[in-house]
Amino acid sequence: MRIGILTGGGDCPGLNAVIRGATRAAEVTYDSTVIGFRNAWRGVMDNDYEILDVDRCRGILPLGGTILGTSRDQPFAQEDGLKRVRKAYDRHGLDAIIGIGGEGSMGVVNRLHEHGFPVIGVPKTIDNDISLTEMTFGFQTAVQICTDAIDRLHTTAESHHRVLVVEVMGRHVGHIAVWSGLAGGAAIILTPEEAFDIDEVCERIVHRHKKGRFATIVVVAEGAVPKEGTMEIPAPEVDKYGHQILGGIGSILAREIQGRTGIESRMTALGHIQRGGSPVAFDRVLGTRFGVAAVEAAIDGAWGQMVALQQGRIERVPVAEAISHLKMVEPELLRLNSMFQPRIPGDEHPGLPGDAPVEPRRDTLASMVTDHHIPDVPVEH
């Protein structure tokens, strides 16, 4: 069998583990050949490729990024894209192509399947937002990077008695924010799943500091949004692929917190450091398992399927179903998050039913803060 493989979309720790796992399974176990296309579907259409074998994949397991390169180019964005993909299948005698990527890349795999191409999907994203798989490789590495950063920020926040806002990736879901925030002991975690009230955020911070805590870590997902009418944020720009360009909520949030509470606040955006570097052990193993499973799906002719982690096992699921909706943060984790945030009068205990009696809310933020005129907050260097 001759199998093509490519990596699409943003890079992610663990991609090379998938390539290595697929190549070894194909060559050693199934006597097959793997053709690696460079820079995703651009390589398929431009005939930019290399033959992959066990020797080529030696030493790549701990490497971040992808040895094949990546791009967001795809055949449906070009007039003759499908014709060029068909030509690649014919030129190389391909029996299948394994597409490794996130939500957008899985959409391409699904559309190619609908057009009759033999394709298999492998879910990849640090955001962990693809449905029907419990975890995507790269996510645990990103969480560990963010947790390490939060651990370091605790000490500087405590030294300067500051509020430190940490902006993390995740696009329209808050998996990275919740996991790293809980692991790093953040006081407040803000996610896209639940719009936040800036007045409530500030009140929780003030109550916390009144109790003698002089430093607060706030973790905010890049896609978090305020409740309508509570705080103005600019509409995100859109890139040439139609994706919203997220980021910047951390700076706005730090400025608002300082202006409303009088507590010195700074912002740190972790940015692309979350996507770089060596993958943690979990992502290396999951990537390897996905690579092997993708080859076996191709051997079985399971076209239009995506490999997925379910209850600790690698299963196959229809790509069409996996991309039908984003996987949001589980309500149980959001509830856990609320249990660890600073309490304020009037809070409903997260472990009590909705009709349980609660203490009336007496204090207001305005009565607790004297200085509302604080200059703009500089970005942390």
Side-chain angles (χ1 to χ4, degrees):
M1 195 172 206
R2 293 177 63 81
I3 303 171
I5 193 168
L6 58 86
T7 54
D11 72 314
C12 175
L15 282 168
N16 289 322
V18 181
I19 296 169
R20 174 179 175 269
T23 299
R24 187 169 187 86
E27 178 182 341
V28 176
T29 304
Y30 296 103
D31 193 26
S32 298
T33 300
V34 177
I35 297 94
F37 290 98
R38 299 188 181 101
N39 302 315
W41 294 102
R42 184 196 305 167
V44 177
M45 294 183 288
D46 293 347
N47 197 32
D48 186 7
Y49 71 96
E50 64 176 296
I51 302 298
L52 297 176
D53 57 23
V54 171
D55 285 340
R56 173 66 177 92
C57 293
R58 291 192 196 285
I60 70 172
L61 182 61
L63 298 181
T66 164
I67 62 169
L68 293 175
T70 186
S71 76
R72 288 186 169 85
D73 294 343
Q74 51 105 340
F76 295 99
Q78 302 191 28
E79 186 175 345
D80 62 345
L82 284 180
K83 182 186 295 185
R84 292 162 71 186
V85 170
R86 173 58 65 192
K87 187 175 181 180
Y89 270 83
D90 294 340
R91 178 189 295 118
H92 295 285
L94 295 176
D95 298 293
I97 287 182
I98 295 172
I100 312 167
E103 178 196 9
S105 296
M106 290 303 98
V108 174
V109 168
N110 184 56
R111 291 183 67 183
L112 287 171
H113 171 61
E114 291 174 346
H115 281 79
F117 289 88
V119 286
I120 302 294
V122 176
K124 171 256 12 166
T125 170
I126 67 169
D127 303 330
N128 199 36
D129 61 354
I130 298 180
S131 296
L132 302 186
T133 183
E134 294 172 2
M135 202 78 70
T136 51
F137 65 89
F139 171 66
Q140 287 292 344
T141 301
V143 168
Q144 190 60 58
I145 290 168
C146 293
T147 302
D148 291 343
I150 293 168
D151 287 346
R152 293 176 181 274
L153 290 170
H154 272 290
T155 59
T156 185
E158 292 161 3
S159 297
H160 292 272
H161 315 299
R162 286 173 172 166
V163 172
L164 280 184
V165 178
V166 185
E167 182 182 304
V168 301
M169 286 181 166
R171 295 203 60 74
H172 302 292
V173 297
H175 295 285
I176 295 176
V178 170
W179 279 65
S180 64
L182 287 170
I188 295 174
I189 305 169
L190 305 177
T191 70
E193 285 81 358
E194 296 181 327
F196 65 88
D197 183 331
I198 185 60
D199 284 327
E200 180 184 315
V201 169
C202 291
E203 188 170 357
R204 293 188 187 282
I205 291 171
V206 170
H207 268 277
R208 173 181 168 85
H209 285 240
K210 281 187 66 177
K211 291 181 177 180
R213 280 90 168 177
F214 299 111
T216 296
I217 300 292
V218 178
V219 173
V220 58
E222 62 181 355
V225 294
K227 290 182 179 177
E228 187 175 356
T230 61
M231 191 176 91
E232 293 296 323
I233 60 172
E237 298 180 6
V238 177
D239 66 18
K240 66 178 182 179
Y241 301 102
H243 303 140
Q244 289 185 342
I245 302 174
L246 300 177
I249 185 64
S251 294
I252 298 172
L253 192 62
R255 187 179 305 119
E256 289 289 331
I257 290 172
Q258 180 163 315
R260 292 168 186 251
T261 68
I263 302 171
E264 188 179 8
S265 304
R266 293 288 186 272
M267 186 280 296
T268 297
L270 297 182
H272 288 78
I273 191 174
Q274 296 162 81
R275 292 212 318 225
S278 185
V280 298
F282 181 91
D283 289 335
R284 299 183 195 192
V285 174
L286 182 59
T288 300
R289 296 175 74 190
F290 275 176
V292 172
V295 166
E296 292 180 338
I299 296 294
D300 292 342
W303 312 131
Q305 298 289 299
M306 183 188 83
V307 295
L309 179 67
Q310 295 184 347
Q311 296 183 329
R313 296 174 58 86
I314 306 301
E315 305 288 356
R316 300 171 188 170
V317 300
V319 176
E321 292 183 20
I323 62 172
S324 63
H325 62 279
L326 290 178
K327 183 179 69 179
M328 313 302 285
V329 176
E330 290 288 336
E332 185 273 333
L333 273 178
L334 294 174
R335 175 177 169 270
L336 186 62
N337 173 29
S338 68
M339 293 177 68
F340 283 88
Q341 68 185 3
R343 312 293 293 163
I344 55 177
D347 267 349
E348 178 181 305
H349 193 286
L352 296 177
D355 56 356
V358 296
E359 177 186 351
R361 188 166 174 169
R362 301 183 181 89
D363 295 327
T364 63
L365 180 63
S367 67
M368 301 167 66
V369 180
T370 57
D371 186 358
H372 297 270
H373 306 287
I374 307 296
D376 285 351
V377 183
V379 175
E380 181 80 358
H381 295 292

